[in-house]
Amino acid sequence: MTGLRERTKRAVRAEVVEVARRLFAERGFDETTVDDIVQAAGMSKRSFFRYFAVKEDVVLGEIDFMGERIAAEIAARPAGEDAWTGLHTVLRTWEQRIDDERQALERLRLIESSPSLRARYHQKRDETREQIARAVAARPGLDPFTADLLTAAAGAALDCVARAWARSDGRADRLALVDRAFALFAPTRAGR
Amino acid sequence: MTGLRERTKRAVRAEVVEVARRLFAERGFDETTVDDIVQAAGMSKRSFFRYFAVKEDVVLGEIDFMGERIAAEIAARPAGEDAWTGLHTVLRTWEQRIDDERQALERLRLIESSPSLRARYHQKRDETREQIARAVAARPGLDPFTADLLTAAAGAALDCVARAWARSDGRADRLALVDRAFALFAPTRAGR
DNA sequence: GACATTTGTGGCATCGAATGCCACTTTTAG
DNA sequence: CTAAAAGTGGCATTCGATGCCACAAATGTC
């Protein structure tokens, strides 16, 4: 049982994230240095970079394993289902799982406010897209190009939904927007 | 006539790009430092950063004004045309304008090889997308959300085409791929 | 053609992110 | 209880990027 170690690690990480979140909200992401964060969190800079590969991961760390999990859910869809519907269904449930909407909105705004954060966000999103694309391509009757197209379009749709939602200050119905986006591109003969 | 100044500036810039291109091809982008480049080009580091805001722009500098021009072409489409067809037509001609395919392929590969290049590439692509989206949203009968969706999907489609083309070592017919991609998502009632 | 103004250049110092290295402490497992 | 494994902090260093300043070149004017 490797209990204590794991637990303290998680706790420390969560605390740093929280401390940093507050600093970012006050001064902005780029204006907050890693030195500021580690000083406020009472830890050394060297240790900070053991918890977070890059500064941006303080904000984006949670995204890391989403790709694998979504890919698994895609792979688990019924065999006869077309890929577009599968993507719609799976990604819809992920949108549904967002619990703290205030925090999600705050994070979206923060990401939009900093070029480096946006860059790293896109990078992670891209890795996620590739993982999902592989799962989609594994479905029968789909060539890699079409699989890539469907996945990329789905990802683009979610980006648009996030932007529209942020523009509405979180008042818009995210799920309705997702449905509208997927309906708009519903390919007549896609995914088969 | 502010001739000489402008011309030498262009010439210097072009030369740096060429020198750097060779270094990147030999050692890779991340493994080549700015010091390496300026030494090979015979210029100071300080001046380098007057020509290029960031190191990545040595590779991606040409992308800068594409957004405005594409947006202008979108705005100039016939009034009755639906937005998806307009995007297809305009972006198709841009794909057609790629003259040096070898170099385009080499650059694509370079971008894919370096995380920081990919990041900066995405960033610029995102700005371009926003410019185009504004032009699309200005078309009659389109709400901003739909305009954003169509633009983002078109951008995603072009990304897929570029990836597929790179996978085929430049042998695939890029224009045919573009047409396939746009046909796949041809929204029955979109853009009107 | 001499002159002041504008524009570009190089060198230097500095900042911030990130990494390698090493000595030291704590946890875990036998 | 002890040896191995894992985590921490401090230090030096690398690299990209920016501010500052003195100096050189080009431009436009008289």
Side-chain angles (χ1 to χ4, degrees):
Chain A
M1 273 160 237
T2 121
L4 178 58
R5 218 149 186 144
E6 192 86 5
R7 259 185 298 142
T8 52
K9 217 170 145 183
R10 271 184 215 283
V12 169
R13 192 183 162 103
E15 201 198 316
V16 174
V17 167
E18 179 52 26
V19 167
R21 199 195 55 74
R22 225 168 307 165
L23 291 177
F24 294 155
E26 285 172 24
R27 303 180 222 172
F29 181 81
D30 293 315
E31 291 71 29
T32 308
T33 70
V34 173
D35 280 312
D36 292 336
I37 299 171
V38 298
Q39 194 181 353
M43 102 194 296
S44 78
K45 194 156 82 169
R46 198 65 192 80
S47 286
F48 173 90
F49 283 109
R50 288 201 184 89
Y51 281 92
F52 308 95
V54 294
K55 180 185 162 193
E56 285 76 19
D57 281 9
V58 176
V59 179
L60 305 174
E62 297 146 23
I63 301 179
D64 276 339
F65 294 102
M66 271 177 43
E68 296 174 26
R69 293 198 270 168
I70 295 176
E73 291 183 25
I74 291 287
R77 297 301 299 173
E81 188 182 68
D82 70 280
W84 189 247
T85 306
L87 280 165
H88 183 180
T89 311
V90 170
L91 295 176
R92 193 179 202 282
T93 68
W94 275 86
E95 284 291 322
Q96 245 167 342
R97 278 181 215 160
I98 294 176
D99 51 330
D100 190 338
E101 298 214 332
R102 274 179 63 107
Q103 196 178 316
L105 190 58
E106 184 188 324
R107 191 163 51 214
L108 259 178
R109 293 253 159 83
L110 189 63
I111 293 171
E112 278 184 43
S113 77
S114 154
S116 66
L117 259 180
R118 284 171 69 136
R120 179 74 170 173
Y121 177 68
H122 275 128
Q123 186 184 330
K124 295 204 164 197
R125 211 166 171 65
D126 219 48
E127 284 165 21
T128 305
R129 185 192 47 69
E130 269 174 40
Q131 290 176 312
I132 299 175
R134 272 195 293 276
V136 173
R139 308 232 103 213
L142 274 184
D143 61 297
F145 181 58
T146 306
D148 203 15
L149 274 172
L150 294 175
T151 310
L158 289 191
D159 276 338
C160 290
V161 168
R163 280 193 293 272
W165 185 63
R167 275 198 302 271
S168 80
D169 283 318
R171 279 191 290 269
D173 181 345
R174 241 185 14 260
L175 290 180
L177 290 174
V178 170
D179 293 339
R180 259 187 77 190
F182 273 86
L184 180 61
F185 292 114
T188 5
R189 59 215 164 288
R192 172 54 28 94
Chain B
M1 275 160 232
T2 122
L4 178 60
R5 219 147 183 145
E6 192 85 6
R7 259 185 299 141
T8 52
K9 216 171 147 183
R10 270 184 217 284
V12 169
R13 192 184 162 102
E15 202 198 315
V16 174
V17 167
E18 179 52 26
V19 167
R21 199 195 55 74
R22 226 168 306 166
L23 291 176
F24 294 155
E26 285 172 24
R27 304 180 222 174
F29 182 82
D30 293 316
E31 290 72 29
T32 307
T33 69
V34 173
D35 280 312
D36 293 336
I37 299 172
V38 299
Q39 193 181 355
M43 102 195 294
S44 77
K45 194 157 83 170
R46 198 64 193 79
S47 287
F48 173 90
F49 282 109
R50 289 199 184 92
Y51 281 91
F52 307 96
V54 294
K55 181 184 162 192
E56 285 76 18
D57 282 7
V58 177
V59 179
L60 304 175
E62 297 146 21
I63 301 178
D64 277 339
F65 294 103
M66 272 175 44
E68 297 175 25
R69 292 197 271 168
I70 295 176
E73 290 183 25
I74 292 287
R77 297 301 298 173
E81 188 182 68
D82 70 279
W84 189 246
T85 306
L87 280 165
H88 183 181
T89 310
V90 170
L91 295 176
R92 192 178 202 282
T93 68
W94 275 86
E95 283 292 320
Q96 245 166 343
R97 279 181 214 160
I98 294 176
D99 51 331
D100 190 337
E101 299 214 331
R102 275 179 61 108
Q103 196 178 315
L105 190 58
E106 184 187 324
R107 192 163 50 214
L108 260 177
R109 292 253 160 83
L110 191 62
I111 292 171
E112 277 184 42
S113 76
S114 155
S116 66
L117 259 180
R118 283 170 70 138
R120 179 75 170 175
Y121 177 69
H122 274 128
Q123 186 185 330
K124 294 204 164 195
R125 211 163 172 67
D126 219 50
E127 286 165 20
T128 304
R129 186 192 47 68
E130 268 174 41
Q131 289 176 313
I132 299 175
R134 272 195 293 276
V136 172
R139 307 231 104 213
L142 273 183
D143 61 297
F145 181 58
T146 306
D148 203 16
L149 275 172
L150 294 174
T151 310
L158 289 191
D159 277 338
C160 290
V161 168
R163 280 193 294 270
W165 184 63
R167 275 197 302 270
S168 80
D169 282 320
R171 278 190 291 267
D173 181 346
R174 244 188 7 264
L175 290 180
L177 289 176
V178 170
D179 293 339
R180 259 187 76 190
F182 273 87
L184 180 62
F185 292 114
T188 3
R189 58 212 165 289
R192 173 52 24 101

